[in-house]
Amino acid sequence: MNPTKIKLHKSSNTLELSYAADAGEVSYTLSAEYLRISSPSAEVRGHSPDQAVLQVGKSRVKLVGLEAVGYYAVKLEFDDGHDSGLYTWNYLYDLSINEAQYWADYLQQLNLTKQSRDPHTSVVQFV
């Protein structure tokens, strides 16, 4: 589904997506961290599900820019230098409507791997 509006809110570090709905319009606000850890790039997702790389330490990442890519996607730029993922309209819609589940899954993966959202937390393992 194509958004009717896209707005980058630098002050709140979020991306607002609006979609046409039966009752007018519905909007979703996605955090920079959520978008960064969900990047569709090969660097994050790999070339197959077993190659996916869990993104850690991204709680303070900033969304610094966006660029339209044709009529089908947007390229997001983050302050950690990541800018290689193309977020298609369908992918952004999926991220929007499934945010609660995807976020819960991400937090569970962090917990299972004893990793942190905080970029300043080092995980020490004792063997």
Side-chain angles (χ1 to χ4, degrees):
M1 177 179 279
N2 294 8
T4 55
K5 289 186 226 168
I6 300 174
K7 186 167 185 183
L8 172 59
H9 295 281
K10 287 190 177 181
S11 61
S12 62
N13 201 26
T14 58
L15 187 68
E16 181 182 356
L17 302 156
S18 299
Y19 297 92
D22 291 337
E25 189 173 80
V26 62
S27 293
Y28 299 93
T29 302
L30 306 178
S31 73
E33 180 184 12
Y34 175 61
L35 290 164
R36 176 62 178 84
I37 62 104
S38 303
S39 174
S41 71
E43 173 188 330
V44 174
R45 298 181 92 180
H47 294 289
S48 64
D50 62 324
Q51 293 179 341
V53 177
L54 180 64
Q55 300 299 294
V56 299
K58 300 299 180 187
S59 66
R60 294 190 180 115
V61 72
K62 303 274 188 249
L63 186 54
V64 295
L66 61 97
E67 176 185 336
V69 178
Y71 294 105
Y72 68 95
V74 66
K75 179 176 157 181
L76 301 179
E77 180 182 347
F78 299 90
D79 70 348
D80 67 353
H82 184 75
D83 67 355
S84 60
L86 294 183
Y87 295 76
T88 64
W89 301 144
N90 287 341
Y91 186 59
L92 283 170
Y93 185 68
D94 180 59
L95 289 177
S96 297
I97 64 173
N98 293 300
E99 179 182 16
Q101 183 60 55
Y102 292 159
W103 187 251
D105 292 346
Y106 171 66
L107 295 177
Q108 182 179 26
Q109 284 297 314
L110 287 176
N111 188 43
L112 289 172
T113 59
K114 297 182 171 58
Q115 297 294 326
S116 175
R117 293 174 50 220
D118 186 352
H120 302 295
T121 300
S122 58
V123 177
V124 178
Q125 294 183 344
F126 296 96
V127 183

